[in-house]
C-alpha cells in the first residue's frame, strides 16, 4: 500500500470535525494571547498533528520546534505528512510514537495535551517537571474511549495541580442532536 492509500485507510475523520478543529483554534487564540514564546513544545496525544499544523500555519505563537507524541504508531506518518512543510524545515515539526505515561526524553518549555480524557493514568502529568508551562484540554463528553470525565470546568481545573493559572475557560459546542463542552487550562505546573 502506498503512503496516500495507507493514510486514507487509517485516518479518522473526527480529527477534522468542528468540535476538534474549533477547540484547537480556540487553543491557538488563547495561547497567542499569553505572548509566550517557546524553544521546544511537546504535544502529548498529538494524534494527526492538527494542533501543530494550526499553530505553525497561524504563525502568531513563536515556537522553534514542536514535537508530537502519540501511542498509536499510525499517527506518526500522518502527522508528519500533514506537517511536512515544517518537517522539511530542519525538523521544526516531528511526530514520534511514544507512550507519554513513560519516560519522555528532552526538556520542553511547554507541554500541550488536548487528549487528557484518553490517558489511562496521571503518570504523564506527574512526570512533567514543576515550572513547565502547560496547555490542557478535556471535556464532558461521554465516550467509551474516555478514561476521564470532567463534569464541569471546576472539576477539570481541580484534576491538575497547577501553580499559576493564566487562563481557564470553557467552549460549548451545540449540534442539533447533542452538545458538549471543552475545558482548557493554560498555566505553569
Ligand atoms: C482521539 S485522539 C485526540 C482527541 C483530542 N480531543 C484531541 O483532538 O486532541 C486521542 C489520542 O491520544 C492518544 N493517547 C492515549 N494515551 C496515550 C499515551 N499514554 N501516550 C500517548 N498518546 C496517547 C491516542 O493514541 C489518540 O491518538
Amino acid at each position: 500500500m502506498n503512503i496516500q492509500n495507507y493514510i486514507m485507510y487509517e485516518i479518522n475523520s473526527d480529527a477534522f470535525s468542528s468540535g476538534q478543529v474549533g477547540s484547537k483554534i480556540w487553543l491557538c487564540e488563547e495561547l497567542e494571547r499569553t505572548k509566550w514564546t517557546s524553544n521546544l513544545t511537546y504535544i502529548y496525544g498529538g494524534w494527526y498533528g492538527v494542533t501543530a499544523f494550526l499553530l505553525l500555519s497561524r504563525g502568531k505563537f513563536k515556537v522553534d520546534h514542536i514535537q508530537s507524541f502519540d501511542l498509536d504508531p499510525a499517527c506518526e506518518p500522518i502527522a508528519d505528512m500533514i506537517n511536512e512543510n515544517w518537517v522539511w524545515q530542519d525538523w521544526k515539526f516531528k511526530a514520534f510514537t511514544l507512550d507519554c505515561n513513560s519516560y519522555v526524553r528532552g526538556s520542553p518549555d511547554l507541554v500541550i495535551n488536548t487528549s487528557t480524557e484518553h490517558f489511562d493514568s496521571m503518570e504523564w502529568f506527574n512526570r512533567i517537571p514543576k515550572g513547565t508551562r502547560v496547555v490542557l484540554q478535556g471535556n464532558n463528553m461521554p465516550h467509551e474511549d474516555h478514561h476521564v470525565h470532567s463534569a464541569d470546568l471546576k472539576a477539570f481545573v481541580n484534576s491538575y495541580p497547577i501553580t499559576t493559572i493564566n487562563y481557564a475557560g470553557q467552549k460549548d459546542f451545540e449540534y442539533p442532536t447533542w452538545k458538549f463542552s471543552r475545558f482548557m487550562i493554560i498555566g505553569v505546573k
Side-chain angles (χ1 to χ4, degrees):
M1 198 185 289
N2 68 28
I3 186 77
Q4 277 82 13
N5 287 346
Y6 169 78
I7 284 165
M8 291 317 292
Y9 174 75
E10 282 291 345
I11 212 155
N12 175 347
S13 61
D14 180 48
F16 301 94
S17 66
S18 63
Q20 296 290 357
V21 173
S23 300
K24 291 173 177 66
I25 292 173
W26 175 42
L27 181 155
C28 292
E29 290 167 349
E30 294 303 335
L31 182 56
E32 290 156 7
R33 252 189 265 279
T34 64
K35 305 286 181 213
W36 287 350
T37 60
S38 170
N39 295 321
L40 179 60
T41 293
Y42 280 3
I43 303 182
Y44 287 2
W47 210 5
Y48 301 148
V50 174
T51 302
F53 180 82
L54 290 170
L55 279 173
L56 293 169
S57 300
R58 290 165 65 91
K60 295 179 185 169
F61 171 62
K62 298 296 170 211
V63 54
D64 291 339
H65 293 278
I66 298 182
Q67 297 187 359
S68 181
F69 301 92
D70 202 288
L71 191 57
D72 179 354
C75 295
E76 186 180 320
I78 299 172
D80 279 348
M81 182 209 64
I82 286 173
N83 289 282
E84 167 60 21
N85 183 51
W86 298 282
V87 171
W88 179 74
Q89 291 178 42
D90 290 328
W91 312 103
K92 191 175 173 78
F93 175 88
K94 182 70 187 90
F96 298 93
T97 304
L98 188 79
D99 181 353
C100 298
N101 281 326
S102 66
Y103 170 72
V104 184
R105 50 105 191 96
S107 304
D109 50 42
L110 174 67
V111 176
I112 297 174
N113 189 342
T114 61
S115 300
T116 59
E117 68 278 9
H118 289 270
F119 281 65
D120 63 4
S121 85
M122 284 285 282
E123 193 64 26
W124 65 273
F125 183 78
N126 297 338
R127 286 173 179 270
I128 296 172
K130 221 173 160 209
T132 307
R133 295 171 302 174
V134 294
V135 181
L136 311 176
Q137 284 190 347
N139 61 65
N140 62 358
M141 208 187 302
H143 195 289
E144 58 184 17
D145 287 347
H146 292 180
H147 297 279
V148 183
H149 176 87
S150 306
D152 53 25
L153 177 62
K154 190 162 176 269
F156 181 66
V157 170
N158 287 340
S159 305
Y160 300 95
I162 303 277
T163 307
T164 308
I165 296 184
N166 296 70
Y167 174 88
Q170 166 173 343
K171 190 172 177 65
D172 300 322
F173 292 86
E174 290 197 24
Y175 301 106
T177 54
W178 69 293
K179 60 181 181 177
F180 77 98
S181 300
R182 185 91 62 193
F183 311 119
M184 179 163 68
I185 311 169
I186 300 179
V188 182
K189 185 177 168 190

